[in-house]
Amino acid sequence: MILYPAIDLINGECVRLAQGRFDAVTKYDSDPFKRLALFNEEFAQWVHIVDLDGAKAGSPQQHELIGQLAKASRAKIQTGGGVRTREHVQTLLDQGVSAVVVGSAAVKNPEEVRGWLRDFGKDRITLALDVLPTKDGDFDAALHGWVEGSGISLWDVLDYYPFGVAQRILVTDVSRDGMLMGPNMDLMKALRKKRPDLEIQASGGVKSVEDLYDLKALGVHGAIVGKAIYEGIIDLKAALNVG
C-alpha cells in the first residue's frame, strides 16, 4: 500500500481543514518546501498536494507553486484543487506533477472527464469522489471543495466510469476528514467489492499505523494521511513502512 502524506495549501501555507470546512483551518507550516523536504527525507514515494484556494475558487490558484514543489521533490506529486477543464489538467501535468486529481468535474461532466482519461492516460488522472454520508446509509458525492452535495450517489458516479475506463480513485469521507476518527472501513469494503478493478486511495480520519494496516488488509491501494502526521500522532517512517 502506498502512503500519500498530504500538503494542503491556502495562500502558500500548509494547513488542515476539519470536515472540509474553510472556517475550521489549522495552520502548520508557512513554508511548504520544508514540509516537502521532510517527506522526501523519509523517502515517500508520493506526496498528495491540494490547492485549497483552487478548490474554493473553482480553478487552480497555486499551480506555479505546486510546479516548484514538484521540481523540488524526489517523490511523485499527485495534486488537485479546482481542476475543472482540460486546460487545467494540461497545465498541471506541464508543471511536472505525476497525477492530477479531478473531483467536481468527475461528477458533473463525466463524458468530458472520460475523454481526459483517454487522452492523458488513466494513470495520470485520479478521480476524487468526496462523499457525505446520508441518513439512509448512502453516500452523496460532494462538490466544489466539499461545500455542497450533488444529490448523486457515490455508486451512481462510479457507474459513469465502467470497468477499464479509470484506474485511480480517491475517496474521502468528508465527515471524518481531519477528525482523527479512523477511516470508514465499511465504505472501503464496499468499494473494494463493487470495483475491484480500481486502485482505491482512502482518505479521511486515519489516526494510527494500525488503521493503515487494516486498509492494506482490505486491499486498499493507498491512503492519504495529513493531520495525524502534522500532530505527531503517526510516525511518518513507521507509516511508510506499512507499504
Side-chain angles (χ1 to χ4, degrees), residues 93 150 198:
L93 291 175
S150 65
L198 296 173

Side-chain angles (χ1 to χ4, degrees), residues 11-191:
N11 293 326
E13 297 182 323
C14 298
V15 305
R16 301 302 298 170
L17 305 184
Q19 297 180 319
R21 292 164 43 212
F22 283 87
D23 63 349
V25 179
T26 302
K27 293 184 180 180
Y28 287 99
D29 299 307
S30 60
D31 184 355
F33 289 92
K34 290 184 179 179
R35 178 62 59 170
L36 179 64
L38 291 175
F39 295 159
N40 281 319
E41 286 172 9
E42 298 297 343
F43 300 101
Q45 297 179 52
W46 285 83
V47 174
H48 179 74
I49 301 179
V50 182
D51 176 0
L52 287 173
D53 292 329
K56 191 173 184 179
S59 63
Q61 302 294 303
Q62 302 179 89
H63 62 266
E64 291 184 6
L65 171 59
I66 291 170
Q68 293 168 7
L69 289 165
K71 291 178 177 64
S73 179
R74 291 196 302 262
K76 295 179 181 179
I77 300 298
Q78 171 177 272
T79 189
V83 176
R84 304 284 193 269
T85 69
R86 176 182 293 270
E87 290 71 26
H88 293 162
V89 176
Q90 186 68 68
T91 296
L92 287 168
L93 291 175
D94 288 346
Q95 290 286 345
V97 308
S98 295
V100 177
V101 177
V102 178
S104 296
V107 178
K108 297 178 69 176
N109 303 306
E111 183 174 354
E112 186 173 358
V113 173
R114 287 195 297 268
W116 303 348
L117 287 160
R118 181 188 64 245
D119 296 342
F120 292 111
K122 59 187 179 181
D123 62 325
R124 307 299 303 277
I125 292 179
T126 302
L127 302 180
L129 302 182
D130 305 322
V131 298
L132 299 162
T134 63
K135 293 180 180 179
D136 61 2
D138 200 354
F139 293 91
D140 184 24
L143 299 172
H144 306 306
W146 302 350
V147 298
E148 65 182 72
S150 65
I152 304 172
S153 166
L154 163 65
W155 313 113
D156 290 336
V157 176
L158 287 174
D159 288 341
Y160 298 159
Y161 303 92
F163 280 60
V165 172
Q167 175 179 326
R168 302 163 57 86
I169 184 169
L170 164 59
V171 179
T172 302
D173 182 339
V174 176
S175 69
R176 293 171 181 258
D177 194 70
M179 304 304 291
L180 299 175
M181 298 167 59
N184 190 327
M185 301 301 291
D186 290 338
L187 172 58
M188 292 300 122
K189 289 177 185 176
L191 282 165

